[in-house]
Amino acid sequence: MSAEGKVALITGAAGGIGLAIAQRYARDGLRVVLTDLPGGNGEAEANAIRDGGGWARFEGLDTTSETAVEALFDSVEAEVGPVEVVVCSAGIATGGVPFQEMALEVFTRVLNVNLVGPFIVGKAAANRMIASGTRGSIIHISSVGSVLGVETSPAYCTSKGGLGMLTKVMALAMAKHGIRVNAIGPGPTLSPMTQASLNDDAVEMMLSRTPMGRFAEGDEIAGVAAFLAGPDSSYITGQTLYADGGRLALNYVVTHRKAG
Ligand SMILES: NC(=O)c1ccc[n+]([C@@H]2O[C@H](COP(=O)([O-])OP(=O)(O)OC[C@H]3O[C@@H](n4cnc5c(N)ncnc54)[C@H](O)[C@@H]3O)[C@@H](O)[C@H]2O)c1
């Protein structure tokens, strides 16, 4: 791809899928601003990218704060240049209970991080791209959970379902400005999120319903993000591209089979 030299800002980039995308973009020659909640691995990961010859810097950012997001875009634009590629990967998967048992505070928190955050970041990015005439690419990280419900993940699935529609309405509003908005819908992917939340039974269940029989590596999701950032995807907007090992193609009435 030839998004080389462009400035990319990635949320949730201290680990997991966001970090894999940051590393891929840096390998592809983009200048990458990694952002995540302050205090994690982000600074060390940005250092590691620089040590490997890439361009990277880390900024602490809570994506649910519009004031903080606006201020960060201002400073990045002033110090690095107009942001041309934005990836919203920050997300949480708190829950584990059906909706009727879920505290309102938990439901709201998940919606805030997974849906309101991408709205705030997407709005800040889009307005600056319009103002600077940047024909940019905005990429949300959705999930197969946007179209497949899980009884015990009411907030997560609802947030990702909403993110699919946010992607469409943003794409419609941005099309006349030459700005593309898409989402990636990963299936089960190796990351701190999955490592922290899944026990052996859950892994076995997920893999038994994933035709490719394995988790994705973060880099396999990053490849889709590279495609969506570059000119090869120039006529794609408003889409969610699923990188799911065949999961959405599977009719679940077939016999449950062992992973592998
Ligand atoms: N791993 C999977 O199997 C999988 C599958 C489908 C979709 N996803 C989605 O991919 C994205 C990345 O997930 P991951 O698996 O890499 O998880 P992860 O937990 O490894 O990474 C998520 C990052 O988001 C950050 N974050 C959380 N709240 C934030 C906030 N308010 N502001 C800024 N950053 C915040 C966390 O600190 C963390 O570094 C998420 O949106 C997730 O829903 C993951």
Side-chain angles (χ1 to χ4, degrees):
M1 79 158 190
S2 60
E4 192 171 351
K6 291 184 176 181
V7 178
L9 186 148
I10 303 170
T11 74
I17 292 171
L19 175 60
I21 294 171
Q23 292 166 334
R24 169 66 195 257
Y25 280 0
R27 286 200 299 277
D28 287 344
L30 282 80
R31 288 175 287 156
V32 186
V33 180
L34 296 86
T35 75
D36 206 304
L37 295 172
N41 290 335
E43 195 72 63
E45 297 295 356
N47 284 337
I49 289 173
R50 284 197 297 274
D51 288 347
W55 192 107
R57 75 191 242 183
F58 173 75
E59 300 286 346
L61 179 72
D62 181 341
T63 55
T64 64
S65 164
E66 186 169 31
T67 316
V69 168
E70 291 287 339
L72 181 65
F73 269 89
D74 282 345
S75 69
V76 169
E77 200 163 71
E79 294 166 27
V80 188
V83 178
E84 294 160 276
V85 179
V86 172
V87 180
C88 297
S89 190
I92 54 174
T94 314
V97 293
F99 85 96
Q100 75 276 15
E101 294 170 25
M102 180 164 272
L104 176 59
E105 185 275 323
V106 175
F107 189 81
T108 316
R109 178 151 42 93
V110 175
L111 268 283
N112 260 333
V113 177
N114 293 5
L115 182 56
V116 179
F119 164 78
I120 293 171
V121 173
K123 183 179 165 188
N127 282 322
R128 283 164 181 78
M129 287 176 184
I130 293 169
S132 62
T134 300
R135 300 170 74 83
S137 175
I138 299 172
I139 302 163
H140 294 138
I141 306 300
S142 180
S143 167
V144 291
S146 69
V147 286
L148 295 175
V150 177
E151 182 183 327
T152 51
S153 296
Y156 185 81
C157 293
T158 303
S159 70
K160 297 298 186 181
L163 193 55
M165 184 50 71
L166 180 65
T167 301
K168 291 181 186 180
V169 295
M170 284 177 61
L172 296 177
M174 290 301 106
K176 58 178 162 295
H177 300 290
I179 299 164
R180 298 182 298 110
V181 186
N182 292 289
I184 302 171
T189 304
L190 292 171
S191 78
M193 180 186 279
T194 44
Q195 271 139 12
S197 62
L198 298 179
N199 60 32
D200 289 349
D201 286 349
V203 168
E204 165 61 23
M205 174 61 84
M206 289 174 93
L207 293 188
S208 74
R209 291 168 182 232
T210 301
M212 289 183 74
R214 64 174 177 85
F215 278 60
E217 301 284 343
D219 207 37
E220 295 178 284
I221 309 304
V224 186
F227 168 66
L228 288 175
D232 286 348
S233 59
S234 55
Y235 201 56
I236 299 179
T237 197
Q239 300 294 317
T240 298
L241 301 189
Y242 291 98
D244 67 352
R247 197 144 179 230
L248 293 183
L250 177 68
N251 186 328
Y252 287 179
V253 299
V254 299
T255 312
H256 178 99
R257 66 181 170 83
K258 283 266 192 213

